[in-house]
Every structure is written in C-alpha cells, then in structure tokens.
Amino acid sequence: MVVALLEPLADNLLGPPGGQGAVYKAKTADGYIAVKVYFDKPAPSQSAERCLQDELAMLKAVQGQNVLRCLGDDMVESVPPPKPHSYAKHCLKLVLAAKGDLFKHAFCSGPRIKVDDVRTLSKQMVEGVKHIHSQGYAHLDIK
C-alpha cells in the first residue's frame, strides 16, 4: 500500500525538513499519522533505503512508553522534495503526536505553559531518552 500525503503538502509539513527527509501529516483509514519521508539524492553516501532500514530497526528495538511508536515502513506517492536534486519514495509511518512538538504545545496552549505541564513533559522526555539509552542507543537529534 502506498501512503498518500495530505494536500497541500506545505500545510501538512510537521516542522522544517532535516538532513535525510521531512515529516508530514497523513490520513489513513484509522485516522492521522506522521509520515517521515526519506529523500534520495542521485549519488548519496548512504541511500535513503539504508537510512530508513537503520531507523526502523532502531525504533523497533527501543519501543517504550515515552517513545513515539513506529507503525512500519512503506512507499510514498510522488512528493516534490524540499531539497533540489533529490526524490522521495521511502517512508516511516509513526504515531502522530496529537499536540505537536513541545514548542507548539508551549506557545499555543495559552499565554504561559503551566508548571505542572512542564514537570510532566520534562519527566516524560527524560524517561523516554533514558529508555532509549538503556537499549544501547543515543538520541542525537534532541531539539
């Protein structure tokens, strides 16, 4: 099954594109998910397929309560990538964080984020990273 991303793509991009790809919001028969699309370049040092397989193996190994759950991998419809001279075909399907990233949660939930919310979110993040470390992995993209 090929994943269909929501149009317009720019409105469903969940943050700025990274070095290997971008994350979009997509709709499935069961609801909304996040789709990380990997962009291949004509002569990559490491192919998008290899990056996807490495990340998929890691996500399966670190499943835990405070770690976003991976729903598998798939092919994606033709997506015009945000980077020139690349093309998209592979993707990871992830549970969509309902409230978005921490920045959006902190600044879109009112004039100030509540102290109890800061405590809860901080504890969840530390527990998630601690769990990833306990499985022998290091999170190298904490923002």
Side-chain angles (χ1 to χ4, degrees):
M1 177 184 148
V2 175
V3 174
L5 300 178
L6 296 169
E7 297 289 341
L9 290 174
D11 292 346
N12 291 291
L13 185 62
L14 301 174
Q20 293 291 333
V23 181
Y24 296 91
K25 183 177 179 180
K27 185 173 170 96
T28 67
D30 299 323
Y32 292 99
I33 62 172
V35 177
K36 182 173 184 178
V37 178
Y38 289 81
F39 298 119
D40 250 332
K41 297 173 185 76
S45 59
Q46 184 179 22
S47 73
E49 177 68 23
R50 176 66 190 267
C51 290
L52 179 140
Q53 294 305 323
D54 289 350
E55 190 164 355
L56 181 60
M58 182 274 306
L59 287 169
K60 286 181 178 179
V62 301
Q63 291 295 300
Q65 182 177 357
N66 292 308
V67 178
L68 276 179
R69 193 164 46 94
C70 180
L71 304 171
D73 62 312
D74 218 326
M75 301 301 283
V76 69
E77 288 181 339
S78 177
V79 176
K83 298 190 179 227
H85 310 298
S86 63
Y87 60 94
K89 61 181 177 177
H90 307 285
C91 70
L92 282 179
K93 299 181 292 186
L94 305 161
V95 170
L96 180 67
K99 292 185 178 180
D101 62 28
L102 182 57
F103 181 84
K104 286 180 186 171
H105 181 68
F107 292 99
C108 297
S109 62
R112 294 198 175 138
I113 188 167
K114 297 175 186 158
V115 173
D116 287 344
D117 288 343
V118 171
R119 284 190 186 112
T120 300
L121 291 168
S122 297
K123 183 177 179 185
Q124 289 174 347
M125 288 186 291
V126 169
E127 290 297 321
V129 172
K130 182 179 172 184
H131 175 73
I132 290 169
H133 289 177
S134 76
Q135 301 302 307
Y137 290 91
H139 194 308
L140 301 176
D141 195 23
I142 296 174
K143 295 177 179 86

